[in-house]
């Protein structure tokens, strides 16, 4: 008889967590209300979508959406640049390594967390009401979006920097601000650039749907055609967007490789 | 003082990059007709709107409408994540280049890339005529997008495993299936589970937004209140969403931490 080592007994978290997770999953599916009969009836509607979706009207899309597509790219460029520029000083305040004041650290960190909880389209809705319909609201919305992501990523990077250079700067008589500027900032600058490119990609993707709530960009064209179920006009626009997104991603991957 | 200079080609690259950023920012700002005037007015306009939201609408009638919608968003996000997790798990094995042969995993990877390219919102309004106004559409949209993202992340985890255990299973006469169940899955399960939870956090934000096109969730409520200029109630919707997202984020982050770092032993 071989003596197998005994399997460790599962922890309390696993014992409670897995059944709870399964129960919650079943409960959510019930709440969503999947009705197979309704689904089957509705499935006959699918020609309403699929027929026009696969008969794209290229000429129409090219003529009407190219301006809006440029607007989308402009929104993403402007928002990501300003958002990341604002986030750069903020994330130094929101990191324990560079902000010695416990209270102001907490305030900045909570501010960034709060901005991050509100989804991008909610920001867009708020800003369209506040500053009026148009691309300016979109820029503000994506600005908050990129500010929040950059703040989180960068402040966590600053948390884990090598404290050695900062100590060395202080030993030569630098003040705290000087040591942050000369020793902490250069350490995170490559990461900052990489995050910036990543956020720019996210902004391009996010700016596509901003127009659905009236915040400018190509989403405006999609929204007006969507209401009339003109999927034959929407599908070529979506393909155009995909091409642009892929091109920009390739460019940003190339640039990131060049920088790092 | 002699400070060494950066090599010339690096400096040229740096300056051209900086000028590219500045030029593109100016081009965008002029193209969008963003004037200094509008920028200076914006903070006051935003303050007016936020001011209009307070005092919040705390009547029981408002909560009776909002709370079910908030929970609907939660259910959409969770069910969508479950769909994504169940389908992406087997697919990620097919997409990993150390499990399947080259041509298969390349095709599967391209399919996953294709799925990921469509935002949830676009998937949602394409499904809308078929699955109807309501949370089902949102769940499908979130779920299908999650299959793409989770499939990519999980397959990358599988590609990074240690091959040692697989060899030892092979050496002791184990089949290909044994290799997967005893060699691969124990190594990757903890990371993949934490990715599922991470995806749930992202899906929660996505599902909150989906209501804009009528696919269920709290977004519908927010856009309606803003359209009818009922700002106090819109403020309540926002606060409820923030509370939900913060709570879910905190719980999920704690569980992820526990999964990745293991039990902390108190000394």
């Amino acid at each position: 008889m071989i003596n197998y080592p005994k399997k460790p007994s599962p922890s309390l978290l696993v014992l409670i967590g897995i059944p709870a997770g399964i129960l919650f999953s079943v409960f959510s599916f019930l709440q969503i209300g999947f009705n197979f009969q309704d689904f089957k009836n509705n499935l006959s509607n699918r020609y309403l979508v699929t027929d026009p979706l696969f008969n794209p009207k290229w000429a129409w899309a090219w003529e009407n959406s190219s301006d809006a597509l440029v607007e989308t790219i402009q929104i993403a460029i402007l928002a990501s640049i300003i958002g990341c520029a604002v986030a750069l000083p903020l994330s130094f305040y929101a990191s324990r390594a560079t902000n010695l004041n416990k209270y102001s650290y907490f305030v900045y960190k909570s501010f960034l967390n709060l901005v991050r909880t509100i989804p991008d389209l909610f920001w867009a809705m708020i800003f369209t009401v506040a500053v009026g319909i148009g691309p300016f609201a979109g820029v503000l919305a994506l600005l908050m979006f990129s500010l929040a992501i950059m703040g989180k990523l960068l402040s966590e990077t600053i948390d884990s920097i090598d404290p050695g250079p900062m100590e060395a700067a202080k030993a030569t008589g630098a003040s705290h601000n000087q040591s942050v500027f000369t020793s902490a900032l250069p350490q995170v600058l490559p990461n900052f650039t990489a995050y910036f490119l990543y956020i720019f990609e996210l902004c391009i993707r996010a700016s596509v749907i901003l127009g659905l709530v009236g915040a400018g960009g190509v989403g405006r064209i999609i929204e007006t055609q969507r209401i009339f179920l003109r999927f034959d006009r929407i599908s070529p626009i979506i393909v155009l967007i995909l091409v642009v997104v892929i091109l920009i991603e390739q460019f940003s991957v190339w640039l990131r490789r060049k920088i790092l | 003082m002699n400070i060494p200079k950066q090599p010339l080609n690096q400096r040229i690259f740096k300056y051209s990059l900086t000028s590219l950023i500045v030029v593109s920012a100016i081009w965008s700002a002029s193209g969008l007709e963003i004037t200094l005037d509008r920028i200076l007015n914006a903070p006051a306009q935003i303050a007016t709107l936020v001011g209009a939201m307070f005092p919040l609408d705390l009547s029981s009638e408002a909560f009776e409408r909002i709370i079910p919608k908030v929970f609907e968003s939660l259910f959409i996000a969770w069910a969508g994540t479950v769909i994504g997790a169940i389908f992406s798990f087997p697919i990620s094995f097919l997409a990993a280049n150390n499990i399947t042969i080259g041509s298969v995993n390349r095709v599967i990877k391209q399919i996953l890339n294709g799925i990921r390219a469509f935002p949830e919102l676009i998937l949602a309004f394409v499904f809308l005529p078929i699955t109807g106004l309501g949370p089902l559409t949102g769940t499908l949209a979130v779920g299908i997008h999650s299959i793409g993202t989770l499939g990519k992340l999980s397959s990358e985890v599988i590609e990074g495993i240690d091959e040692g255990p697989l060899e030892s299973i092979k050496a002791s006469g184990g089949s290909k299936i044994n290799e997967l169940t005893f060699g691969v899955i124990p190594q990757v399960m903890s990371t993949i589970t934490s990715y599922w939870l991470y995806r749930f956090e992202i899906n929660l934000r996505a599902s909150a937004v989906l209501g804009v096109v009528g696919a269920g969730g709290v977004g519908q409520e927010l856009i309606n209140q803003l359209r009818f200029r009922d700002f106090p109630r819109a403020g309540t919707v926002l606060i409820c969403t923030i509370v939900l997202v913060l709570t879910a984020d905190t719980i999920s982050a704690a569980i992820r931490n526990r999964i990745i770092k293991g039990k902390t032993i108190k000394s």
Side-chain angles (χ1 to χ4, degrees):
Chain A
M1 184 72 199
I2 316 159
N3 264 329
Y4 289 112
K6 238 172 138 185
K7 218 178 165 183
S9 58
S11 71
L12 200 65
L13 186 82
V14 175
L15 277 178
I16 299 172
I18 290 179
I22 292 172
L23 270 181
F24 187 57
S25 312
V26 173
F27 182 65
S28 351
F29 274 108
L30 289 177
Q31 284 293 315
I32 281 152
F34 183 78
N35 185 335
F36 196 73
Q37 196 55 46
D38 281 356
F39 186 69
K40 231 165 88 182
N41 290 341
N42 280 329
L43 210 58
S44 54
N45 287 350
R46 72 175 182 278
Y47 301 109
L48 209 67
V49 181
T50 47
D51 284 353
L53 202 61
F54 296 114
N55 288 309
K57 297 236 179 337
W58 288 100
W60 185 90
W62 185 250
E63 214 169 278
N64 288 281
S65 71
S66 47
D67 286 350
L69 207 54
V70 172
E71 193 177 276
T72 295
I73 297 169
Q74 287 174 326
I75 292 174
I77 290 176
L78 203 60
S80 53
I81 289 176
I82 301 175
C84 292
V86 175
L88 183 63
L90 278 187
S91 35
F92 278 93
Y93 282 112
S95 161
R96 245 186 220 132
T98 48
N99 190 347
L100 303 175
N101 187 331
K102 231 184 352 193
Y103 302 104
S104 78
Y105 159 78
F106 182 74
V107 169
Y108 283 106
K109 191 96 189 167
S110 326
F111 170 72
L112 286 177
N113 277 337
L114 186 70
V115 174
R116 212 160 56 83
T117 49
I118 300 180
D120 46 358
L121 220 59
F122 276 26
W123 281 119
M125 288 185 220
I126 295 168
F127 286 128
T128 43
V129 175
V131 303
I133 282 176
F136 185 48
V139 172
L140 289 178
L142 283 189
L143 198 156
M144 299 311 263
F145 173 72
S146 50
L147 170 77
I149 301 175
M150 179 57 100
K152 181 182 162 54
L153 290 176
L154 195 63
S155 65
E156 278 170 6
T157 312
I158 298 170
D159 277 339
S160 63
I161 57 167
D162 178 10
M166 271 180 76
E167 275 171 30
K170 274 182 191 162
T172 59
S175 71
H176 179 69
N177 285 342
Q178 283 170 330
S179 74
V180 168
F181 226 84
T182 54
S183 318
L185 183 63
Q187 282 191 56
V188 296
L189 225 43
N191 299 65
F192 176 72
T193 327
Y195 295 152
F196 167 70
L197 290 171
Y198 168 65
I199 286 169
F200 176 58
E201 284 168 34
L202 289 183
C203 276
I204 289 270
R205 281 166 186 274
S207 64
V208 168
I209 54 170
L210 283 177
L212 290 177
V213 295
V218 73
R220 183 176 35 128
I221 314 269
I222 294 180
E223 175 68 5
T224 48
Q225 300 307 320
R226 178 185 79 83
I227 297 169
F228 300 112
L229 296 179
R230 292 299 299 263
F231 288 106
D232 51 339
R233 290 177 173 177
I234 293 177
S235 66
I237 298 178
I238 294 175
V239 173
L240 271 182
I241 294 170
L242 283 185
V243 171
V244 171
V245 167
I246 289 169
L247 283 180
I248 288 176
E249 267 184 16
Q250 292 304 318
F251 172 70
S252 118
V253 166
W254 171 82
L255 205 61
R256 202 173 331 182
R257 214 168 278 156
K258 193 111 185 178
I259 289 166
L260 294 181
Chain B
M1 213 163 54
N2 263 325
I3 300 172
K5 270 190 177 166
Q6 266 186 329
L8 186 68
N9 56 351
Q10 273 188 29
R11 263 186 297 159
I12 291 174
F13 181 67
K14 207 169 78 182
Y15 290 132
S16 53
L17 199 63
T18 319
S19 46
L20 176 73
I21 288 173
V22 172
V23 167
S24 58
I26 293 171
W27 171 66
S28 312
S30 61
L32 299 174
E33 286 165 1
I34 293 173
T35 54
L36 197 63
D37 191 44
R38 294 191 72 181
I39 296 170
L40 291 178
N41 279 336
Q45 286 170 322
I46 294 161
T48 318
L49 176 66
V50 174
M53 285 181 181
F54 290 95
L56 297 171
D57 184 358
L58 297 174
S59 64
S60 60
E61 196 238 329
F63 279 115
E64 267 163 35
R65 280 181 62 103
I66 294 165
I67 297 294
K69 285 285 176 192
V70 171
F71 276 100
E72 197 175 82
S73 282
L74 179 69
F75 296 138
I76 291 174
W78 185 266
T81 314
V82 170
I83 292 176
I86 290 173
F87 284 99
S88 73
F89 191 63
I91 291 173
S92 63
F93 282 91
L94 293 177
N97 62 14
N98 52 355
I99 306 290
T100 44
I101 51 168
S103 50
V104 175
N105 76 55
R106 243 169 272 142
V107 170
I108 303 262
K109 260 194 190 134
Q110 286 312 318
I111 294 174
L112 289 177
N113 277 339
I115 296 174
R116 251 172 348 110
F118 297 101
E120 287 99 340
L121 220 60
I122 288 181
L123 288 176
F125 70 62
V126 170
F127 293 150
L128 209 56
I130 300 171
T131 51
L133 288 167
L136 177 62
T137 310
T139 311
L140 283 180
V142 167
I144 288 177
H145 190 80
S146 300
I147 294 176
T149 47
L150 285 176
K152 177 183 190 279
L153 289 174
S154 309
S155 70
E156 279 167 4
V157 175
I158 294 171
E159 281 170 5
I161 58 164
D162 177 11
E163 303 272 338
L166 301 190
E167 274 170 34
S168 55
I169 290 167
K170 217 182 280 173
S172 57
S175 67
K176 193 83 187 164
I177 300 290
N178 290 106
E179 277 179 48
L180 289 183
T181 48
F182 296 108
V184 182
I185 291 181
Q187 282 192 60
V188 297
M189 210 51 219
S190 58
T191 320
I192 289 182
T193 325
S194 79
Y195 279 151
W196 289 348
L197 285 169
Y198 173 63
R199 191 66 216 170
F200 166 66
E201 292 170 32
I202 298 174
N203 283 346
L204 192 56
R205 291 173 172 79
S207 70
V209 159
L210 283 173
V212 173
V213 294
V218 73
Q220 181 79 62
E221 206 56 30
L222 182 67
I223 201 165
N224 283 345
Q225 306 307 341
L226 285 176
R227 269 183 193 151
F228 296 133
R229 295 284 188 269
D230 188 351
F231 295 127
R233 194 169 284 186
T236 318
V237 175
L238 265 184
I239 299 283
C240 288
T241 314
I242 291 172
V243 169
L244 172 78
V245 174
L246 269 185
T247 321
D249 267 14
T250 316
I251 295 173
S252 152
I255 298 176
R256 273 195 294 143
N257 234 342
R258 171 68 181 74
I259 290 173
I260 292 295
K261 288 186 184 153
K263 197 185 258 171
T264 44
I265 298 157
K266 285 189 189 115
S267 56

